[in-house]
Amino acid sequence: MIGATLREGSVGAVITRTLLEKFKGEVYLVNPSYNELLGRKVYKSVLDVPGNVDLAIIVTPAPTVPRIMRECAMKGVRVAIIISGGFSETGESGARLEEEVKENAQGRVRILGPNCTGVYNAYNGLDTFFVPRNRMERPRPGPIALISQSGAVAGLILDWAARRNIGVGLAVNYGNKLDINEAELLEYLAKDSRIKVIVMYMEGLKYPGEGKKLIEVMKAITKTKPIIVYKAGRSRSSSKAVRSHTAALAGNYEIYRAMLRQAGAIEVNNLFEAFEVAKALVTQPLPRGNRVLVITDSGGIGVQSVDNLELMGLLIPELPEELRENLSRSLPPLVSVINPIDLTSGATDEMYKLVLNTVLPTNYVDMALIAAYMQLPGMTPKLADYIIDAKRFGKPIVVFSIGDNEDTRIFKAKLEGSGVPTYDRLEVAAKALRALYDYAVIRGVAAAEYS
Amino acid sequence: MIGATLREGSVGAVITRTLLEKFKGEVYLVNPSYNELLGRKVYKSVLDVPGNVDLAIIVTPAPTVPRIMRECAMKGVRVAIIISGGFSETGESGARLEEEVKENAQGRVRILGPNCTGVYNAYNGLDTFFVPRNRMERPRPGPIALISQSGAVAGLILDWAARRNIGVGLAVNYGNKLDINEAELLEYLAKDSRIKVIVMYMEGLKYPGEGKKLIEVMKAITKTKPIIVYKAGRSRSSSKAVRSHTAALAGNYEIYRAMLRQAGAIEVNNLFEAFEVAKALVTQPLPRGNRVLVITDSGGIGVQSVDNLELMGLLIPELPEELRENLSRSLPPLVSVINPIDLTSGATDEMYKLVLNTVLPTNYVDMALIAAYMQLPGMTPKLADYIIDAKRFGKPIVVFSIGDNEDTRIFKAKLEGSGVPTYDRLEVAAKALRALYDYAVIRGVAAAEYS
């Protein structure tokens, strides 16, 4: 940790404390101004540190970084994360400084940054995000990884994911991208078996040839691991904002879209949606078609479900006569059994169970959206068990449920804990099912698109 | 209260208890099976009640309702809310029962329902929604009213509004619409000066001529009070679901859209959005044009803001040279002053204040979107005071802020408490500004659309 400090309100202090408290590896503090911090020895230079150094985190003023990088190369440091700003993002003299840093690394030190928030690794506690935990929560370890072109945007979404109990294993912001770029980060995450889905936030690319390389890499990865992309900077004015933010070229959005589609990436419209969709991709099997069974206890939610699913290009097929008669025999007379199955306000969890076990094993539907209005008297959290049990049919299931009463909370927590994603917006539930279908097509699992 | 009971788990029990605990008027209990409930006299019939009865709430089995209605007419009851189901929604014999109820009312008792959840009146505690409060919270009194074609959908959104501290004065579900219809409810709410904006959830209309009447009424009302409409049942399959839900005809969605536009209504895509947009309409002045000032402390959020605002057809104008120079002189060198104004991670609340007070009074922008990432060290809830102070410039301001740390919570609560709406999704903030602009056009306030 080069630039180790405890100075109140400083970026260095947040990272120093986090490393000492959370990181599971060995930490060496470096700062010529101190001999000791929190009872630990502080070295004058990375060259004074005994033994090998795998990673240097650099949080010192920009003008000092070229010299520090030279020392890192001499020491045999393999990777450096340069958190410090004041480089190419500030203008010409900063750009020259950045060049100098690159030269001094002599191709021996790989560099993340500069001008970045670096890495959040939930597995080993390596965390260079410099917003303290009382202002930004960190998510629990999980199978989602995030690559973000914006540090603040990454911070916002990690905090949100933590509060939603969404597991994120690794997150990275690469700042000015002096060396390590998106394509390489993707390749790294593709190899990490703990990561099941990769989320990317991108505004634009900077260097010639980057786009082609990125698409190639994505194409290879999406054959085995889904990549979800939120591309911002979609209009002419926002392209200008992208340039002033990351010096990248936002490019023509339609061209990006076409490229992402070609690469097998799943596109979303914001990062909340990205993480909600990721929840489905890491837990659900892939569907063999685009036909959705909808079960609800509110006619209105049934109508809205159909609107949202159809907007996503999914199909809500009428169930065949025979199956409907079969259902009607066991359900109260007012229940609509066409699809959506509307169990009405007299719904019980047992009725949901009956429909799930009757319809899901048939060849008429490929996935299910279950909308459960827990406020009704016949509904209990036992429904979660029935839904979890229905996973044995091997078809994707997502649940829409809103409310914050005790039963709803227990219901949702049970489902999420057993790998059934829950959503509080129908459009997000529909988008999650669409993403599953899209990825099934990409993987060659979905046989047909019904219409 | 006809059908008064305390029987555990029954609809009647929830309403009986709520009336006795919450309603500020006089309550008479009617049920031939009891002499007394909770120490209160229970009458055999409405005819036995001493004095006048303004409103009868009927929660008895459908076959008993025609007789009860005859008695209500004899008693001179002015309005009856029939909560009971088992009428036209169940088929022909139910439809006949419904006709009988109407005949027996003799045009002297106005009827809401049957098969409805009735009314929630936050001002006087009249509340016939039959989900108990531990399963569905009730919102505090406020300037928003809701007319919903679905009782369950109304229940879901009222519970959500309560948890978001959004004030709702009146909500009504009209069920089978035997007598009182949407147009009449709209006219009633238009006259109520406590209500500043009306939200409507509709799936379709049932009777010939209803559409024309509704549009006429809307056209008159939107001249002075905004109406926000979420129309569900937009596709062919969802139209089928609408028919089985409310026996209404969803109709061609494009025709509905055109009619709503003609009527000056503001269309939204779900009820959450409706209430979020309503928050802006009840608190903000109307803008004179479509130009938005964006202030942020994250370049990424700036880029995303522009994307979302432009998608809504709003303009983020470059600020003129002179104004930019003026800003640059007082702000740190890395700040982008074009618009979005990106104060970067070095942002302080004082910088926001400076930009607000410099740009908002000028003639270059019509409204402001303020994105504040409270996690940054220079940000404090004092920013809320500066934003509230900027209301004096007479231009709409909305705030995007996510996070749940203490500062963010204080910041948001202060703003919401002082009539500045806050949003945790950029697309919703953008939609709110668009709705303000649309309504300004409808009211003839907005002079021009800049492009």
Side-chain angles (χ1 to χ4, degrees):
Chain A
M1 170 64 198
I2 303 176
T5 177
L6 297 175
R7 189 165 51 83
E8 205 52 57
S10 73
V11 164
V14 177
I15 301 177
T16 302
R17 284 188 193 279
T18 306
L19 282 174
L20 293 177
E21 285 167 23
K22 304 284 176 182
F23 181 51
K24 289 176 183 154
E26 191 110 27
V27 179
Y28 301 99
L29 305 181
V30 176
N31 189 335
S33 311
Y34 303 112
N35 292 315
E36 203 187 279
L37 284 173
L38 295 170
R40 298 176 71 110
K41 182 171 172 51
V42 179
Y43 300 90
K44 299 291 169 206
S45 154
V46 67
L47 294 171
D48 302 335
V49 172
N52 292 332
V53 174
D54 296 307
L55 170 72
I57 298 164
I58 303 174
V59 195
T60 61
T64 67
V65 177
R67 179 188 50 77
I68 289 170
M69 188 53 69
R70 197 180 318 115
E71 293 174 1
C72 285
M74 285 171 66
K75 177 70 182 173
V77 171
R78 293 165 64 201
V79 185
I81 303 176
I82 307 175
I83 305 294
S84 325
F87 292 93
S88 61
E89 82 279 9
T90 64
E92 263 182 51
S93 68
R96 274 196 301 276
L97 214 50
E98 204 170 286
E99 263 320 297
E100 218 181 310
V101 170
K102 189 164 193 178
E103 277 162 30
N104 291 357
Q106 299 166 53
R108 281 148 60 189
V109 187
R110 299 303 311 273
I111 299 169
L112 186 72
N115 183 34
C116 70
T117 53
V119 167
Y120 170 68
N121 181 324
Y123 304 115
N124 67 9
L126 183 76
D127 175 5
T128 62
F129 276 68
F130 46 80
V131 179
R133 282 168 191 244
N134 65 350
R135 290 176 91 88
M136 173 196 147
E137 289 181 39
R138 306 302 201 266
R140 64 174 173 80
I144 303 174
L146 171 69
I147 301 175
S148 175
Q149 189 157 11
S150 161
V153 166
L156 277 174
I157 198 71
L158 290 179
D159 177 55
W160 177 85
R163 283 182 283 113
R164 292 300 182 287
N165 198 30
I166 298 176
V168 179
L170 293 162
V172 56
N173 163 248
Y174 46 82
N176 294 0
K177 199 163 58 172
L178 176 58
D179 176 15
I180 297 173
N181 62 18
E182 296 93 337
E184 232 176 326
L185 291 167
L186 277 174
E187 281 173 331
Y188 178 92
L189 293 171
K191 279 181 214 135
D192 189 328
S193 64
R194 298 166 303 186
I195 298 303
K196 303 295 180 207
V197 56
I198 304 166
V199 173
M200 263 186 99
Y201 172 67
M202 59 188 299
E203 296 180 358
L205 296 168
K206 282 170 88 169
Y207 305 113
E210 269 196 315
K212 192 156 167 280
K213 172 72 182 165
L214 190 60
I215 296 305
E216 259 170 41
V217 168
M218 278 188 172
K219 219 175 199 166
I221 294 173
T222 53
K223 287 197 176 75
T224 55
K225 206 174 267 192
I227 301 176
I228 302 169
V229 179
Y230 170 35
K231 163 71 173 81
R234 298 180 172 187
S235 68
R236 216 186 305 165
S237 321
S238 61
S239 300
K240 268 186 236 164
V242 166
R243 215 170 310 142
S244 90
H245 179 218
T246 48
L249 293 170
N252 181 303
Y253 174 52
E254 287 311 316
I255 293 174
Y256 265 97
R257 290 196 76 176
M259 281 179 11
L260 291 170
R261 210 173 306 131
Q262 196 197 331
I266 293 159
E267 219 209 343
V268 294
N269 292 313
N270 58 60
L271 276 186
F272 307 105
E273 201 178 280
F275 278 63
E276 298 278 24
V277 163
K279 266 171 38 181
L281 282 163
V282 296
T283 55
Q284 298 306 296
L286 293 177
R288 302 200 165 260
N290 63 338
R291 298 167 307 170
V292 185
L293 165 69
V294 178
I295 317 177
T296 179
D297 49 5
S298 149
I301 296 298
V303 171
Q304 297 172 31
S305 297
V306 174
D307 278 342
N308 281 288
L309 291 165
E310 291 204 332
L311 195 66
M312 284 292 152
L314 300 173
L315 200 72
I316 303 89
E318 273 190 29
L319 299 180
E321 190 71 27
E322 196 192 272
L323 197 53
R324 272 148 60 187
E325 276 171 16
N326 190 350
L327 287 171
S328 288
R329 269 194 298 277
S330 325
L331 292 168
L334 282 184
V335 167
S336 167
V337 292
I338 298 177
N339 191 22
I341 312 280
D342 175 10
L343 299 171
T344 78
S345 60
T348 64
D349 29 37
E350 299 294 330
M351 292 182 204
Y352 276 85
K353 179 185 177 185
L354 179 98
V355 178
L356 278 170
N357 293 347
T358 308
V359 183
L360 221 45
T362 71
N363 194 29
Y364 304 113
V365 298
D366 304 299
M367 40 193 164
L369 167 61
I370 300 171
Y373 181 49
M374 271 295 144
Q375 284 82 340
L376 296 176
M379 301 291 288
T380 79
K382 215 164 52 176
L383 175 57
D385 300 321
Y386 300 146
I387 294 171
I388 293 161
D389 181 55
K391 287 172 72 175
R392 70 196 150 101
F393 301 121
K395 294 179 177 175
I397 303 174
V398 302
V399 172
F400 167 77
S401 182
I402 76 162
D404 199 38
N405 62 59
E406 206 191 335
D407 275 2
T408 308
R409 264 178 282 152
I410 296 169
F411 174 66
K412 285 192 202 172
K414 256 190 181 181
L415 288 170
E416 292 276 351
S418 298
V420 178
T422 67
Y423 298 106
D424 58 7
R425 290 294 183 278
L426 282 169
E427 60 269 33
V428 180
K431 174 77 188 176
L433 288 177
R434 174 73 212 192
L436 286 167
Y437 174 66
D438 279 344
Y439 194 56
V441 171
I442 290 160
R443 291 288 292 270
V445 174
E449 180 165 349
Y450 300 86
S451 63
Chain B
M1 171 64 198
I2 303 177
T5 177
L6 297 176
R7 189 164 52 81
E8 204 53 54
S10 72
V11 164
V14 177
I15 301 177
T16 302
R17 283 187 194 280
T18 306
L19 281 174
L20 294 177
E21 284 167 24
K22 304 286 177 181
F23 181 51
K24 288 178 184 151
E26 192 110 28
V27 179
Y28 301 99
L29 305 182
V30 175
N31 190 334
S33 312
Y34 303 112
N35 293 315
E36 203 187 280
L37 284 173
L38 296 169
R40 297 178 70 110
K41 182 170 172 53
V42 179
Y43 301 90
K44 299 291 169 207
S45 155
V46 67
L47 293 170
D48 302 334
V49 172
N52 292 332
V53 173
D54 297 307
L55 170 73
I57 298 165
I58 303 173
V59 196
T60 61
T64 67
V65 178
R67 179 188 50 77
I68 289 170
M69 187 54 67
R70 196 178 321 114
E71 293 174 2
C72 284
M74 284 171 66
K75 177 70 182 174
V77 171
R78 292 164 64 201
V79 185
I81 303 177
I82 308 175
I83 305 294
S84 325
F87 293 92
S88 62
E89 81 279 9
T90 65
E92 264 182 53
S93 70
R96 274 195 301 275
L97 215 50
E98 204 169 286
E99 262 320 298
E100 218 182 311
V101 170
K102 192 165 190 176
E103 278 162 29
N104 291 358
Q106 299 165 53
R108 281 147 60 189
V109 188
R110 300 303 312 271
I111 299 168
L112 186 72
N115 183 34
C116 71
T117 52
V119 167
Y120 170 67
N121 181 323
Y123 303 116
N124 68 10
L126 183 77
D127 175 5
T128 61
F129 276 70
F130 46 81
V131 179
R133 282 166 192 245
N134 64 349
R135 290 177 91 88
M136 174 196 146
E137 288 182 39
R138 307 302 201 265
R140 63 173 174 79
I144 303 174
L146 170 69
I147 301 175
S148 175
Q149 189 158 9
S150 161
V153 167
L156 277 173
I157 198 72
L158 290 179
D159 176 57
W160 177 84
R163 284 182 284 111
R164 292 301 182 289
N165 198 29
I166 298 177
V168 179
L170 293 162
V172 56
N173 163 247
Y174 46 82
N176 294 359
K177 199 163 59 172
L178 176 60
D179 177 17
I180 297 173
N181 62 17
E182 297 94 336
E184 231 176 327
L185 291 167
L186 277 174
E187 281 174 331
Y188 178 91
L189 294 171
K191 280 182 213 132
D192 189 328
S193 64
R194 299 166 302 186
I195 299 302
K196 303 295 180 207
V197 56
I198 303 165
V199 173
M200 263 185 99
Y201 171 68
M202 60 188 297
E203 296 181 357
L205 296 168
K206 280 171 88 170
Y207 306 113
E210 269 197 315
K212 192 156 166 282
K213 172 71 182 166
L214 190 61
I215 297 304
E216 259 171 40
V217 168
M218 279 187 171
K219 219 174 199 167
I221 294 172
T222 54
K223 288 197 174 75
T224 56
K225 205 175 269 193
I227 300 176
I228 302 169
V229 179
Y230 169 35
K231 164 71 174 81
R234 297 179 174 187
S235 68
R236 216 186 305 166
S237 322
S238 61
S239 299
K240 268 186 236 163
V242 166
R243 215 169 311 142
S244 90
H245 179 218
T246 49
L249 293 170
N252 182 302
Y253 175 51
E254 288 310 317
I255 292 175
Y256 266 98
R257 291 196 74 175
M259 281 179 12
L260 291 170
R261 210 173 305 130
Q262 195 197 333
I266 293 159
E267 220 209 344
V268 293
N269 291 313
N270 58 60
L271 276 185
F272 307 104
E273 202 178 281
F275 278 63
E276 298 278 23
V277 163
K279 266 170 41 180
L281 282 162
V282 295
T283 55
Q284 297 306 294
L286 292 177
R288 303 201 164 259
N290 63 339
R291 300 166 306 170
V292 185
L293 166 69
V294 178
I295 318 176
T296 179
D297 49 5
S298 150
I301 296 297
V303 170
Q304 297 172 30
S305 298
V306 175
D307 278 343
N308 280 289
L309 291 165
E310 290 205 333
L311 195 66
M312 285 291 152
L314 299 173
L315 199 72
I316 303 89
E318 273 189 29
L319 299 180
E321 190 72 27
E322 197 193 271
L323 198 54
R324 272 148 61 187
E325 276 171 15
N326 190 351
L327 288 170
S328 289
R329 267 193 299 277
S330 326
L331 292 167
L334 283 184
V335 167
S336 167
V337 293
I338 298 176
N339 191 21
I341 311 278
D342 175 10
L343 299 170
T344 78
S345 60
T348 64
D349 30 36
E350 299 294 330
M351 292 182 203
Y352 276 85
K353 180 185 177 184
L354 179 98
V355 177
L356 278 170
N357 292 347
T358 308
V359 183
L360 222 45
T362 71
N363 194 30
Y364 305 113
V365 296
D366 304 299
M367 40 193 164
L369 167 62
I370 300 171
Y373 181 49
M374 271 295 144
Q375 284 82 339
L376 297 175
M379 301 291 288
T380 79
K382 215 164 53 178
L383 175 57
D385 299 322
Y386 299 147
I387 294 171
I388 292 161
D389 182 56
K391 286 172 73 175
R392 69 196 150 101
F393 301 122
K395 293 179 178 174
I397 304 175
V398 302
V399 172
F400 166 78
S401 182
I402 76 162
D404 200 39
N405 62 59
E406 205 190 335
D407 275 4
T408 308
R409 263 178 282 153
I410 296 169
F411 173 66
K412 287 192 202 170
K414 256 190 180 181
L415 289 170
E416 292 276 352
S418 298
V420 179
T422 68
Y423 298 106
D424 58 7
R425 291 293 183 279
L426 282 169
E427 61 268 33
V428 180
K431 174 76 187 178
L433 289 177
R434 175 73 211 192
L436 286 166
Y437 174 66
D438 279 344
Y439 195 56
V441 171
I442 290 160
R443 292 287 294 267
V445 174
E449 179 164 351
Y450 301 87
S451 62

